[in-house]
Amino acid sequence: MIEKVIHRLKSELPATVKLVAVSKFHPFESIEEAYRAGQRIFAESRPQELASKVRALEARRIELDDPGYMSDIEWHFIGHLQTNKLKLVLPYVSLVQSVDSVRLLDAMDSWGRTSGCVVNVLLEPHVAAEDTKQGFEAEEVKSILQAASRGEYKNIRFKGIMGMATFTDDENVIRSDFASLLRIYEDSLSEFPSVSADFQELSIGMSDDYSIAVEYGSTMVRIGSMIFGLRKI
Ligand SMILES: *Cc1c(COP(=O)(O)O)cnc(C)c1O
């Protein structure tokens, strides 16, 4: 089942769109199954759950006496991240997609400075109708990229924009949300040429709306329930 869906998605998605398998609420065994089907990028939304899956993989390597087992797996983080949880997440992920506040960005920058590494991030603007304090206004994205262009955030690499459409059946609302995210992404590219070499990702689209997202320039779709079914753990 998992294998079938992954193969279907990969044949259906344009070559420019990366498939991110959202494995939250699903056991490590499901990740292995997806990996065997050729999937390499997985995303988690809770720090503890990510850390426990990384530990499950390490345990499997010991069990199999194979240190290289699944060594090319790539983890992304897509959930709300509190600044006191950075050490559970940042050592393991190649991309934090869900940077939704300046406070978090500042904390990640200093974590990177202390650890001697650069943290790859997507900025998450808030465009959906749901009332939430998380996520940036379009103007905040600009001021962050302005600061980066001035040489601030030396330990952050800005890789693009991540976003979610309003949770609704109304396709017009979804289209308008994706159009807003695309506009923020394109404005960022054109206004901040010094960051644009790295700024290549527009992560939009989930199980229910990924084909619409592809129409609006998605480079990365985040698909969970369609691949793994409904939540298990
Ligand atoms: C859970 C989640 C997804 C995947 O959603 P599905 O509808 O299960 O495909 C994508 N993005 C984020 C940020 C999520 O939290």
Side-chain angles (χ1 to χ4, degrees), residues 22 37 75 81 90-91 97 113 149 161 164 169 174 182 195 213:
V22 178
W75 300 102
L81 183 54
L90 299 190
Q97 295 203 10
R113 201 154 44 242
S149 307
I161 296 291
M164 268 182 277
D169 288 333
I174 295 172
L182 175 61
V195 295

Side-chain angles (χ1 to χ4, degrees), residues 205-224:
M206 309 178 13
S207 293
D208 290 337
D209 57 19
Y210 72 91
S211 24
I212 305 175
V214 168
E215 289 181 45
Y216 288 84
S218 176
T219 65
M220 209 177 248
V221 292
R222 310 177 309 270
I223 301 198

Side-chain angles (χ1 to χ4, degrees), residues 44-57:
E44 291 285 336
S45 62
R46 295 173 181 201
Q48 289 293 357
E49 193 176 336
L50 170 71
S52 80
K53 282 169 181 166
V54 168
R55 279 197 301 275
L57 174 55

Side-chain angles (χ1 to χ4, degrees), residues 76-97:
H76 290 183
F77 194 78
I78 58 169
H80 181 58
L81 183 54
Q82 287 171 304
T83 54
N84 61 351
K85 299 278 168 63
L86 298 189
K87 62 181 182 302
L88 286 175
V89 171
L90 299 190
Y92 309 113
V93 299
S94 60
L95 181 65
V96 178
Q97 295 203 10

Side-chain angles (χ1 to χ4, degrees), residues 4 17 23 43-44 79 125 146 149 163-164 183 196 201 207 215:
K4 247 196 191 146
V17 181
S23 46
E44 291 285 336
Q146 225 147 32
S149 307
M164 268 182 277
R183 196 171 321 116
S196 65
E201 304 290 356
S207 293
E215 289 181 45

Side-chain angles (χ1 to χ4, degrees), residues 110-139:
S110 50
W111 187 90
R113 201 154 44 242
T114 318
S115 319
C117 62
V118 174
V119 185
N120 293 318
V121 307
L122 304 184
L123 298 174
E124 183 181 356
H126 175 66
V127 300
E130 283 93 15
D131 198 20
T132 159
K133 292 198 178 64
Q134 287 163 24
F136 296 112
E137 301 295 326
E139 286 306 312

